[in-house]
Amino acid sequence: MLAADGTKTVVPAVDPQTGEKMPTGSDHYSTVRSASGRYVVFGDSGRGEEDRQYVGDLDASGGPKVVRVRQGQGGLAVWGTKLWMPSDTETDGTLQAVDLKSGATTDTEQITGGCLPQELQAVGPWVYWDCYPSGTVSSDGHGVYNTQTQQWSWAPRGTLGDGYVVTYDWDRGRLNLTPIGDRPRIIEAFTSQYSSPLVEADRFGGAIAYAKEQNARITVLDSGVDTSPVAEIESQVEQSVNLASATDAVWDADWQLSKPVTGAQVTIRNKAGHTVFTGPAKEYAAAVAFSWDGRNSNRRYVNAGTYTWELTGTPADGSGAALKVTGTIELTKPTKTAAGRGTDKSIS
């Protein structure tokens, strides 16, 4: 893991249950397979019986570490706190969604026709599965599952975006975009054939980036497909705070969103529903952070008790309804200030 200041942190590929380290050698080509927020999937491709894929928690207690390992065939993909993988029986045509925080597991209906997905991709409400990643564009054994409607539909083999799949038709020399449930659209018809153009879809918005080959000019364009409504996919929100603490007297909250918002702000209300504080939240692309010291707009401490917070924001891409996330926080009333500085009055 490379931080913005250049600091490197190594996450050892070690099974947390057995202590076994990841095999090395020419038979094990490790790379990042999927990432979302604090979680990263890395390791082998998942196409061999001895392959190992590791799920790392970059914000784990005590520092980044591996929290889950899967050995054998089958792809993994993470979105928010959910890890998608083939079911335990592997060939029953279902997928599992494991909540990496709670450990809760839910299963889908049969969607793959009984084949084992060797590749998974997850974006918003969409999960793309492919049992034969090396097959042709038009072959069977792949599709997209909508986690909201709990239905699956056919989609061409390619790179999953928010509501679409991008694929390169090598036979025709075309880069196509297929909105899920619709017909393909031509992004570009190349005058020459390329073995495999580099393509990437922004999972937190509607943009597509591609290059015809390595070291070629990169083209970025809008997908033209409406993105999914903005939603919270991960959060680290303190449930309580002691405002008399000498070390941590501030309420901190961080949210990972499905796409960026603008005008993000947090409103704090008391039990009667009256607003005691409203302030802007810091926006970091698709992440939002906020801190509150327990004072109202007049810089007076509020009373101890339970308060409701509400995070709001407008989708930066203008697609879908506004963001609204709520929760509660328990405050402990602070003590008096040091002598000579007066006493902070508390109000509700």
Side-chain angles (χ1 to χ4, degrees), residues 58-134:
L58 303 183
D59 201 28
S61 176
K65 62 183 178 182
V66 170
V67 293
R68 292 184 70 98
V69 179
R70 177 184 173 88
Q71 179 176 348
Q73 294 181 318
L76 302 181
V78 64
W79 179 259
T81 64
K82 284 191 175 181
L83 176 69
W84 288 91
M85 64 176 67
S87 66
D88 293 334
T89 55
E90 294 188 349
T91 57
D92 66 355
T94 66
L95 299 178
Q96 282 184 345
V98 180
D99 191 297
L100 292 169
K101 281 190 172 181
S102 67
T105 301
T106 55
D107 293 285
T108 68
E109 299 293 331
Q110 187 181 56
I111 61 176
T112 72
C115 64
L116 174 64
Q118 295 183 358
E119 178 185 345
L120 292 176
Q121 300 176 51
V123 177
W126 312 102
V127 178
Y128 167 95
W129 55 272
D130 192 348
C131 295
Y132 316 105
S134 59

Side-chain angles (χ1 to χ4, degrees), residues 129-190:
W129 55 272
D130 192 348
C131 295
Y132 316 105
S134 59
T136 63
V137 172
S138 59
S139 65
D140 294 327
H142 49 89
V144 176
Y145 177 69
N146 187 327
T147 62
Q148 294 179 342
T149 64
Q150 299 183 343
Q151 295 178 335
W152 79 273
S153 58
W154 182 90
R157 177 173 286 112
T159 301
L160 177 67
D162 188 2
Y164 62 88
V165 173
V166 180
T167 188
Y168 177 59
D169 187 341
W170 194 89
D171 292 334
R172 297 178 175 83
R174 295 175 179 175
L175 187 63
N176 294 329
L177 180 148
T178 303
I180 297 173
D182 204 346
R183 296 181 178 181
R185 307 169 184 173
I186 300 175
I187 296 178
E188 183 173 343
F190 302 130

Side-chain angles (χ1 to χ4, degrees), residues 7 121 273 293:
T7 303
Q121 300 176 51
D293 61 3

Side-chain angles (χ1 to χ4, degrees), residues 242-296:
N242 179 6
L243 297 178
S245 172
T247 57
D248 186 11
V250 175
W251 176 63
D252 293 310
D254 296 274
W255 297 271
Q256 176 74 51
L257 307 178
S258 60
K259 61 182 181 180
V261 297
T262 59
Q265 69 174 18
V266 175
T267 300
I268 311 292
R269 298 184 177 92
N270 60 19
K271 287 185 177 181
H274 299 148
T275 298
V276 298
F277 184 80
T278 298
K282 295 181 179 179
E283 301 164 3
Y284 305 93
V288 175
F290 182 79
S291 296
W292 181 48
D293 61 3
R295 301 172 189 253
N296 65 6

